[in-house]
Amino acid sequence: MIKCDVTLCAVIDRQAQAKQGKDGQSFISFGVKVPIEGRDGVQSDLSVSVSVDGDKGKASVYTTGRRVQVKGILSPRKKGDSIYFNLRATSVDLVKSTEPDSIEGEMHFQGKIGKDRNGKPAVDNRTDKKGNPFQTFSAYSSEKEGDNREYLWVRFLNFSPNNESFVKAEAFVDVRGLLQLGVYNGKLDIGCRVKEIQPWTIQNNNG
């Protein structure tokens, strides 16, 4: 499970349409793009599909080219080689065209740390130039998509490690922290700066 409580500012690039959910409630859906820049200066567009309560009348407000500020829950989903970002909005406001593109927020992640590979530890404990400890690791969240299971990886950076013994290869973890988006090898890269980490206990259907 990966859910991010975010605020984004971007230009609408897909016209809003009125739709009806399975519960019979009306909502509108539109798309935005947020440019994300990597450390090497390479850019990639983050395409986000936004849904918010509303009807056809409200949909007419959110036209292509309008700049909006959106707040809500962003849920990334992997399907094949692509990652889709869906944002269930709690609010959508029109803003001035001079407002810069941006996305920021906090992530809640539940998943599994990767394996040790080729002699390299899955959890890497280091120190910076000033001797301060920090920790890096990658973990994945998995979801069933039809007959297939999809795995979405997230990079984690922890500047306040407490030498927790449970943070190790193939451990299940529950992490909260700051969402970090970048570009790696021309593709969007999802990261998180850890604020809180604890074991994640998975319960079966019988509890």
Side-chain angles (χ1 to χ4, degrees):
M1 183 277 292
I2 305 175
K3 290 186 177 181
C4 307
D5 189 354
V6 303
T7 298
L8 70 77
C9 184
V11 171
I12 296 174
D13 73 327
R14 176 168 55 82
Q15 182 79 26
Q17 294 182 330
K19 299 183 179 182
Q20 191 173 60
K22 294 180 180 179
D23 58 0
Q25 297 296 313
S26 297
F27 69 96
I28 59 175
S29 175
F30 60 89
V32 299
K33 280 188 178 179
V34 185
I36 304 296
E37 185 172 322
R39 292 182 179 180
D40 57 0
V42 175
Q43 279 195 350
S44 182
D45 285 332
L46 171 67
S47 294
V48 180
S49 179
V50 179
S51 62
V52 64
D53 291 340
D55 53 21
K56 188 175 182 179
K58 189 173 182 180
S60 64
V61 176
Y62 303 116
T63 56
T64 303
R66 303 295 297 269
R67 181 171 290 275
V68 289
Q69 182 187 74
V70 186
K71 296 181 179 180
I73 301 298
L74 180 73
S75 301
R77 296 284 186 271
K78 190 170 185 293
K79 188 173 182 180
D81 294 329
S82 301
I83 302 176
Y84 298 90
F85 295 83
N86 300 308
L87 198 166
R88 180 58 181 170
T90 54
S91 67
V92 180
D93 297 304
L94 298 176
V95 295
K96 295 180 180 179
S97 60
T98 52
E99 288 291 324
D101 295 310
S102 64
I103 180 169
E104 58 183 16
E106 296 201 353
M107 176 187 292
H108 183 197
F109 173 94
Q110 291 177 328
K112 188 177 183 180
I113 295 175
K115 299 179 180 180
D116 295 335
R117 293 185 181 276
N118 301 322
K120 295 183 179 180
V123 180
D124 194 3
N125 293 290
R126 309 181 190 180
T127 55
D128 62 20
K129 294 180 180 180
K130 295 182 179 180
N132 299 312
F134 69 96
Q135 183 181 74
T136 63
F137 61 92
S138 292
Y140 64 84
S141 174
S142 66
E143 288 192 2
K144 197 78 176 293
E145 187 70 35
D147 293 331
N148 300 318
R149 184 165 288 278
E150 300 286 357
Y151 301 88
L152 182 56
W153 287 85
V154 177
R155 296 177 302 100
F156 292 91
L157 178 61
N158 188 357
F159 283 111
S160 301
N162 293 317
N163 298 317
E164 297 96 338
S165 60
F166 64 85
V167 182
K168 57 186 179 182
E170 301 186 77
F172 291 93
V173 290
D174 185 308
V175 188
R176 296 178 187 269
L178 297 178
L179 172 66
Q180 296 183 318
L181 295 170
V183 180
Y184 182 72
N185 287 338
K187 295 183 178 181
L188 282 167
D189 186 50
I190 305 175
C192 177
R193 181 168 176 169
V194 178
K195 296 175 66 176
E196 178 184 340
I197 183 169
Q198 58 187 1
W200 178 39
T201 301
I202 300 177
Q203 295 182 333
N204 61 30
N205 291 335
N206 296 320

